[in-house]
Amino acid sequence: MSDSLTRAEPVSSEPFAAQGVTITLAPPMARLSLRARDRATLEDLLGRKLPAKIGATAGEIACLGPDEWLLRSAQGAAIPLGEGLPLAVTEISERAVCLIVEGPRAAEVLMAGCPLDLELFASGRATRTIFETVEIILIRSGENRFEVEVWRSFAPWLQLALTTAAAQLR
Amino acid sequence: MLLIHCPYCDEQRAELEFAYAGEAHIARPDDPAAMSDEDWQYYLFVRANPRGRHHERWRHTHGCGRFFNAVRDTLSDKFEVTYKAGEPRR
Ligand SMILES: [Zn+2]
């Protein structure tokens, strides 16, 4: 039955460009919420190191809280769920979409609605934060490149807000 | 904008990311059934409401998600200190 369903994105996948800033919908990806009191149990399960510091990233994994990580990877990657272990691996791929804000003035566009001082937010950092009143996860994946994870139903508003901020850069 | 130091993120972050969660260090009684109505009412409804130093709970809702405790001056709105949940009263 699922063969008859076609994927619908909550926002247009047409890239937007203004003032040297592009805003693009990222292709679909796998997302997993990783929770454990003891980081080592997750590291054993996944066979890779997890960042220990809140706000740090290591490859595909971001540390969001003292016992919380977000893993984003290509679709179809096999991740063990760790049944019976004192941890939780939860599939949340379709909860959010990702908008990529890129360009020399990308930080300025985000600071239109995000209270973080992005000049101090180095490349490789990630955090849950807020844009106006909408919760986002902000990942700085390059000097001029930000990935904004946002829950699907908030994405149309956020895309409008970001493209409007970009169009109004002077 | 008011900045609050999250003891888990170890960073000053904007108040917008936080939620206030009432007075801190109020332990739920172990055996409510054994209490008088007056004591129970006191536990449920009566709060210190001081002028000055106030111990209160906050949650870094749009951040690391953690509850923590803070001492804030209710006159100046200045945060004196924040510390992790479970640590002794400052
Ligand atoms: Zn925090």
Side-chain angles (χ1 to χ4, degrees), chain A residues 54, chain B residues 6-10 13 18 60 63-66 68:
Chain A
I54 300 173
Chain B
C6 172
Y8 293 93
C9 297
D10 195 19
R13 301 279 286 251
F18 296 84
H60 195 186
C64 63
R66 285 285 139 166
F68 59 90

Side-chain angles (χ1 to χ4, degrees), chain A residues 58-74:
Chain A
E60 299 174 324
I61 303 176
C63 182
L64 300 180
D67 59 0
E68 182 185 7
W69 292 263
L70 173 69
L71 167 62
R72 305 188 312 149
S73 65

Side-chain angles (χ1 to χ4, degrees), chain B residues 25-63:
Chain B
H25 301 295
I26 296 176
R28 186 182 168 85
D30 289 333
D31 187 6
M35 293 171 72
S36 68
D37 285 351
E38 199 180 331
D39 288 349
W40 181 243
Q41 169 224 260
Y42 190 87
Y43 158 70
L44 283 182
F45 303 116
V46 180
R47 296 295 178 260
N49 193 24
R51 186 175 192 270
R53 285 182 104 234
H54 187 225
H55 290 75
E56 51 199 20
R57 297 196 309 160
W58 285 79
R59 183 176 177 227
H60 195 186
T61 317
H62 304 297

